[in-house]
């Protein structure tokens, strides 16, 4: 049954994912008789309500261990998604550090397709800012691994099928005035990009579709499709790169 459900959750069909999680938890802890799944379901329903309002089936869910999710949002902020299952929270290496969402006044978090978000992440939107997750694309999941920070002052776009690895930092602002100037410049990480661990994606970065960003890179400026980008500051190392998971 579990093997069958694993095959069926590609594309994150809601009922199948929830059933898969139920049987997985039942197999791991049969002595709980599904009690831990019920705790997960109730907590997921609560978070779903805070994000999207009431729904019969939770629109967010935990694929593995539970961890705390803090949502601090202004009343006029918006979280928009057309998907029945918008966010899958995933604990990496059984991590339990909390993930935090700060949604400022009139900000907008847009989740176009299902996105996976790990433990220990911080996602902050300033007043009137827009953060877009394109999410899953062509049955390829899209995710943000643990300990990643996203600070959005104006506009950040993260494309479909894109993977953001451990401990990355993505921002569209300099946060401080330098020589009297505060830099706010939109960031675009296009489809099927692999951002390796420990990278900083700074204001004004445009990363072309199908690209790879090497570990510990500092990225600013525009890069073409299918690029290998690496360094501090990041430079174009190779073109016509293809990668797959």
């Amino acid at each position: 049954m579990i093997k069958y459900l694993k095959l069926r959750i590609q594309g994150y069909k809601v009922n199948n994912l929830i059933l898969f999680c139920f049987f997985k938890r039942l197999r791991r802890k049969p002595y709980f008789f599904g009690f831990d799944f019920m705790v997960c379901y109730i907590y997921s329903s609560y978070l779903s309500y805070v994000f999207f309002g009431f729904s019969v089936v939770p629109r967010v869910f935990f694929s593995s261990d539970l961890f705390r999710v803090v949502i601090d949002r202004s009343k006029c902020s918006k979280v928009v998604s057309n998907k029945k299952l918008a966010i899958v929270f995933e604990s990496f290496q059984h991590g339990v550090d909390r993930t935090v969402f700060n949604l400022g006044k009139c900000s907008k978090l847009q989740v176009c397709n299902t996105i996976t978000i790990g433990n220990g992440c911080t996602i902050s939107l300033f007043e009137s800012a827009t953060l877009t997750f394109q999410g899953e694309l062509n049955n390829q999941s899209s995710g943000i691994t643990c300990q990643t920070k996203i600070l959005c002052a104006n506009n950040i776009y993260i494309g479909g099928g894109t993977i953001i690895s451990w401990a990355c930092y993505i921002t569209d602002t300099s946060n401080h005035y330098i020589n009297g100037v505060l830099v706010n410049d939109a960031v675009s990480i296009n489809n099927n990009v692999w951002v390796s661990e420990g990278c900083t994606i700074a204001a004004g970065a445009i990363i072309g579709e199908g690209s790879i960003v090497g570990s510990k890179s500092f990225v600013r400026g525009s890069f073409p499709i299918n690029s290998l980008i690496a360094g501090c500051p990041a430079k174009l190392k190779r073109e016509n790169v293809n990668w797959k998971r």
Side-chain angles (χ1 to χ4, degrees):
M1 174 64 76
I2 290 178
K3 183 177 180 181
Y4 168 75
L5 288 171
K6 280 183 178 179
L7 295 175
R8 293 291 296 165
I9 63 170
Q10 289 198 0
Y12 290 118
K13 304 293 189 264
V14 175
N15 293 333
N16 287 334
L17 176 65
I18 293 175
L19 280 173
F20 169 70
C21 291
F22 170 73
F23 283 110
K24 182 172 71 172
R25 290 172 185 273
L26 191 63
R27 185 177 69 171
R28 285 174 55 191
K29 299 179 180 179
Y31 43 85
F32 277 11
F33 299 105
F35 175 76
D36 58 334
F37 171 80
M38 290 306 301
V39 173
C40 175
Y41 193 94
I42 292 169
Y43 189 45
S44 297
S45 297
Y46 164 73
L47 294 175
S48 177
Y49 175 77
V50 176
F51 273 123
F52 301 104
F54 175 77
S55 60
V56 176
V57 178
R59 300 188 65 188
V60 307
F61 210 77
F62 289 80
S63 64
S64 52
D65 298 330
L66 283 177
F67 54 86
R68 187 181 177 196
V69 176
V70 177
I71 305 169
D72 181 12
R73 57 177 299 188
S74 169
K75 289 184 178 179
C76 65
S77 63
K78 295 181 180 179
V79 182
V80 180
S81 179
N82 293 325
K83 297 293 290 185
K84 291 182 179 179
L85 182 61
I87 302 172
V88 176
F89 290 112
E90 183 170 349
S91 170
F92 289 86
Q93 300 292 320
H94 302 287
V96 294
D97 36 344
R98 69 181 188 174
T99 284
V100 179
F101 290 82
N102 292 307
L103 305 180
K105 182 179 179 182
C106 299
S107 63
K108 182 179 179 181
L109 174 61
Q110 182 166 307
V111 183
C112 301
N113 291 294
T114 307
I115 182 79
T116 299
I117 298 177
N119 56 291
C121 294
T122 299
I123 297 174
S124 294
L125 281 70
F126 292 3
E127 182 176 343
S128 301
T130 299
L131 171 61
T132 301
F133 293 124
Q134 191 63 38
E136 178 204 11
L137 180 68
N138 298 327
N139 288 325
Q140 293 292 323
S141 62
S142 179
I144 301 170
T145 317
C146 60
Q147 308 300 330
T148 286
K149 316 298 180 186
I150 300 177
L151 190 63
C152 181
N154 183 25
N155 192 295
I156 294 177
Y157 174 85
I158 298 178
T162 287
I163 299 173
I164 310 296
S165 299
W166 308 65
C168 291
Y169 177 53
I170 302 171
T171 185
D172 61 351
T173 179
S174 62
N175 296 309
H176 304 286
Y177 287 86
I178 303 172
N179 294 332
V181 177
L182 177 67
V183 177
N184 285 330
D185 202 354
V187 167
S188 181
I189 305 173
N190 286 289
N191 295 343
N192 298 312
V193 171
W194 172 18
V195 180
S196 302
E197 92 282 349
C199 293
T200 295
I201 311 298
I206 302 174
I207 302 174
E209 182 174 342
S211 295
I212 303 171
V213 182
S215 301
K216 307 297 190 295
S217 296
F218 179 89
V219 183
R220 176 178 287 170
S222 181
F223 296 89
I225 64 171
N226 301 114
S227 299
L228 174 60
I229 307 160
C232 186
K235 296 181 179 180
L236 178 62
K237 300 294 184 180
R238 188 180 301 172
E239 295 186 76
N240 298 318
V241 171
N242 292 294
W243 72 278
K244 61 180 180 180
R245 62 194 78 188

